[in-house]
């Protein structure tokens, strides 16, 4: 299977593992790379030292290209980006911020850049800033998907830009891959599907839930981490939605973010005081969101914790190895050519 994505990144299949905090670890990233896809190492909740260690571990587990992500909106993200660039990671994925300086630095050592976007405005900005490809995330997605569904969002952006598109949000099998290509993408990125893989470190309880759920048991809310996000409909998520916060909470809670990211707390606290009401409330939500995401992901705690999960969980019913997921997806997508030809006669 050859598309602009396989050619640009030197991979066998146009299938990408999304960057998922605590889940897209060196082991999972390397499993995807060794099976012919491109894994994105998630550094969002890591300090610069942890990021360096994770990159080196990934390099020891695979000789194939891999990516590392940086969420520019998070405190300390620039330090992580500096580490990723210094280590010359083959592909850098950035989101929620201006990435022109990342494109320049990564291109200098011959690396490639993927920007993650949810709107046409940000897709155009990423293209202008020099990104080699974009991940376009639709409404169905786990986590921070856009307001528009993939079915409409992908073609609307494909019609307006020249760089290759990786479709994300609602893709879990070969039907999804074939459809994404028809809509104008050159590959897909899957979060929920790989979260429910044998190699995924997510709590086994969440894999079982994901095999049993239907397409309706998710909530799309900005009350978990301060940004609109899709999560599993659980007691923990509903409690967070009801939780009341005030600007003082963000100062108190920011200690947690600072400690987790190895960022000086005083610097963050001063920053928050000058952010204004709306952004400081968002920071408070982010702090409780981080804790809840960790509990949902690693402890499988659905009473206190929260797990990002896509609507697509409702159409996947078994936990497979990374290799099985990739090979099954490619095989099914190829078969779709015959299905389409028969229906188009
Ligand atoms: C358990 C889980 C954790 C995630 N964590 C993050 C994260 O930390 N940062 C992020 O940008 N996206 C995160 N995502 C979203 C994915 O990066 C991706 O955009 C999304 O999963 C794609 O949609 P899909 O789930 O329908 O495949 C997460 C997704 C899942 C399922």
């Amino acid at each position: 299977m050859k598309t602009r994505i396989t050619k640009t990144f030197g991979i066998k299949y146009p299938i990408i593992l999304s960057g998922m905090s605590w889940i897209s670890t060196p082991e999972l990233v390397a499993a995807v790379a060794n099976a012919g896809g491109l894994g994105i190492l998630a550094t969002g909740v890591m300090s610069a030292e942890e990021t360096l260690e994770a990159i080196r571990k990934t390099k020891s587990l695979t000789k194939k290209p891999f990516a590392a992500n940086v969420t520019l909106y998070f405190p300390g993200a620039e330090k992580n980006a500096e580490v990723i660039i210094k280590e010359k990671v083959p592909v850098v994925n950035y989101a929620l911020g201006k990435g022109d300086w990342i494109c320049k630095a990564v291109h200098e050592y011959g690396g490639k850049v993927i920007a993650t976007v949810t709107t046409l405005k940000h897709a155009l900005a990423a293209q202008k800033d020099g990104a080699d490809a974009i991940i376009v995330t639709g409404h169905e997605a786990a986590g921070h998907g856009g307001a528009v569904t993939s079915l409409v969002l992908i073609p609307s952006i494909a019609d307006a830009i020249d760089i290759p598109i990786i479709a994300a949000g609602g893709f879990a099998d070969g039907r999804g891959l074939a459809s994404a290509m028809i809509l104008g993408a050159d590959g897909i990125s899957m979060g929920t599907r790989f979260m429910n893989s044998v190699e995924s470190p997510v709590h086994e309880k969440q894999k079982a839930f994901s095999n049993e759920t239907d397409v309706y048991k998710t909530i799309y809310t900005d009350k978990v981490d301060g940004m609109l996000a899709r999560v599993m409909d659980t007691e923990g998520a509903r409690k967070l939605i009801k939780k009341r916060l005030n600007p003082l909470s963000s100062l108190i809670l920011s200690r947690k973010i600072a400690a987790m990211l190895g960022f000086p707390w005083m610097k963050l606290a001063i920053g928050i005081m000058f952010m204004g009401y709306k952004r400081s409330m968002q920071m408070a939500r982010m702090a409780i969101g981080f804790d809840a995401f960790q509990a949902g992901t690693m402890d499988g705690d659905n009473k206190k914790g929260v797990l990002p999960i896509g609507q697509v969980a409702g159409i996947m019913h078994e936990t497979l190895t990374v290799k099985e997921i990739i090979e099954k997806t490619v095989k099914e997508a190829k078969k779709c050519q015959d299905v389409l030809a028969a229906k188009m006669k």
Side-chain angles (χ1 to χ4, degrees):
M1 204 175 262
K2 286 195 176 50
T3 72
R4 290 192 294 169
I5 290 300
T6 59
K7 286 182 208 148
T8 305
F9 301 111
I11 52 176
K12 192 169 175 196
Y13 302 120
I15 297 177
I16 283 91
L17 157 75
S18 306
M20 298 178 276
S21 297
W22 298 288
I23 297 176
S24 302
T25 52
E27 291 77 7
L28 191 60
V29 169
V32 171
N34 292 335
L38 182 76
I40 303 179
L41 183 70
T43 75
V45 293
M46 286 183 192
S47 66
E49 292 72 31
E50 288 165 338
T51 299
L52 178 62
E53 204 182 305
I55 292 170
R56 299 218 167 139
K57 180 92 194 277
T58 312
K59 285 180 180 170
S60 75
L61 297 173
T62 185
K63 295 289 159 255
K64 299 266 164 59
F66 69 96
N69 78 356
V70 54
T71 307
L72 293 169
Y73 183 76
F74 287 176
E78 288 187 8
K79 287 250 171 307
N80 282 5
E82 281 164 21
V83 171
I84 293 169
I85 290 164
K86 208 162 161 214
E87 282 295 299
K88 299 192 167 108
V89 171
V91 184
V92 181
N93 168 225
Y94 71 87
L96 297 176
K98 192 156 168 52
D100 50 349
W101 60 279
I102 292 184
C103 294
K104 189 167 176 285
V106 173
H107 289 155
E108 264 166 30
Y109 66 74
K112 302 282 181 191
V113 180
I114 306 174
T116 297
V117 303
T118 57
T119 63
L120 174 59
K121 183 178 157 199
H122 290 146
L124 290 167
Q127 177 170 264
K128 194 163 166 228
D129 285 345
D132 300 284
I134 50 172
I135 294 177
V136 174
T137 314
H139 190 61
E140 303 90 328
H144 307 117
V148 178
T149 61
S150 295
L151 188 65
V152 175
L153 188 63
I154 305 300
S156 75
I157 294 182
D159 285 347
I161 66 161
D162 300 319
I163 55 175
I165 292 174
I166 299 159
F171 301 97
D173 55 28
R175 294 173 295 181
L177 174 56
S179 307
M181 306 266 209
I182 289 170
L183 292 173
D186 285 271
I188 54 169
S189 179
M190 302 192 285
T192 302
R193 179 60 275 190
F194 283 120
M195 171 200 74
N196 183 8
S197 63
V198 171
E199 294 90 336
S200 161
V202 79
H203 197 280
E204 289 300 318
K205 192 171 149 188
Q206 310 299 39
K207 295 184 195 176
F209 174 93
S210 160
N211 287 332
E212 286 152 20
T213 191
D214 56 34
V215 298
Y216 302 103
K217 292 192 185 72
T218 68
I219 312 180
Y220 188 63
T221 174
D222 64 353
K223 295 289 185 297
V224 172
D225 70 352
M227 288 176 275
L228 280 163
R230 185 175 304 283
V231 298
M232 195 195 277
D233 185 354
T234 57
E235 202 180 319
R238 285 176 185 265
K239 267 191 211 151
L240 274 194
I241 289 170
K242 281 196 203 132
K243 197 173 173 82
R244 290 189 175 277
L245 293 171
N246 57 53
L248 193 63
S249 322
S250 64
L251 275 183
I252 299 164
L253 291 165
S254 64
R255 253 186 194 283
K256 278 188 187 171
I257 300 189
M260 184 183 284
L261 303 177
F263 194 80
W265 178 62
M266 275 312 280
K267 203 170 158 189
L268 185 59
I270 292 166
I272 286 172
M273 283 193 280
F274 289 99
M275 272 173 189
Y277 180 78
K278 198 167 165 229
R279 185 95 201 271
S280 76
M281 292 303 287
Q282 209 172 26
M283 272 288 155
R285 288 269 168 208
M286 194 191 283
I288 53 170
F290 269 27
D291 258 9
F293 283 146
Q294 189 169 17
T297 307
M298 302 318 289
D299 309 334
D301 181 346
N302 292 335
K303 289 211 161 116
K304 278 195 244 135
V306 173
L307 184 77
I309 197 163
Q311 291 175 325
V312 79
I315 62 163
M316 38 189 253
H317 310 293
E318 50 183 352
T319 305
L320 300 170
T321 66
V322 160
K323 194 167 183 284
E324 283 167 342
I325 291 172
I326 293 182
E327 286 177 358
K328 194 163 175 267
T329 302
V330 171
K331 201 170 155 199
E332 276 174 14
K334 287 188 174 165
K335 245 182 161 177
C336 286
Q337 295 177 88
D338 303 333
V339 175
L340 198 59
K343 288 187 181 176
M344 296 293 230
K345 260 186 200 156

